[in-house]
Amino acid sequence: RAVLGVAVQGEPGAGGIAGATPGTFTVMANPPTGPFRAAAGTGGKVGPACAAVSGGHADVTGGSITLTSIASDRVVGSVDLQFEGNQAFSWSFDVATCPLSMDLCQKLTWPCFDYTCVPAP
């Protein structure tokens, strides 16, 4: 099985926002109307070479991601997510950071959110 969890913060209509700070990011049932911290995720069965297995996908239905410490080289926290089909995933982590550059708007699909990405300065 593979689980992908994402923690984001923002403010609808804002031209930019500061980097993430420690706190709890909750799975939101409705689009935000003001400043928010949101968690999203997906899970699924994977086969050889991490290839997705047909019919093995499950969407997140609730839960949260908590970031307790954020440093330039490490992130510490925990994940507690619930998925379709009465499944759950909980995990504590202390992981090294690595440089990453990606267009997050191209990678995430949140059907319940209408959003416009603003490039970082």
Side-chain angles (χ1 to χ4, degrees):
R1 297 200 184 268
V3 174
L4 170 66
V6 178
V8 296
Q9 70 181 33
E11 182 173 355
I17 193 149
T21 55
T24 299
F25 298 72
T26 304
V27 172
M28 299 177 76
N30 297 301
T33 58
F36 67 92
R37 290 175 177 250
T42 188
K45 295 178 185 176
V46 294
C50 290
V53 174
S54 178
H57 178 265
D59 286 324
V60 168
T61 58
S64 63
I65 297 173
T66 300
L67 303 180
T68 54
S69 172
I70 303 170
S72 61
D73 61 341
R74 302 203 75 69
V75 176
V76 178
S78 60
V79 175
D80 182 17
L81 298 174
Q82 292 82 49
F83 294 87
E84 297 170 318
N86 254 357
Q87 302 213 20
F89 176 79
S90 295
W91 178 56
S92 294
F93 57 88
D94 180 346
V95 295
T97 60
C98 60
L100 175 67
S101 178
M102 66 188 261
D103 183 344
L104 192 57
C105 292
Q106 294 284 329
K107 301 292 181 189
L108 297 177
T109 56
W110 289 335
C112 63
F113 286 96
D114 289 327
Y115 57 88
T116 302
C117 275
V118 177

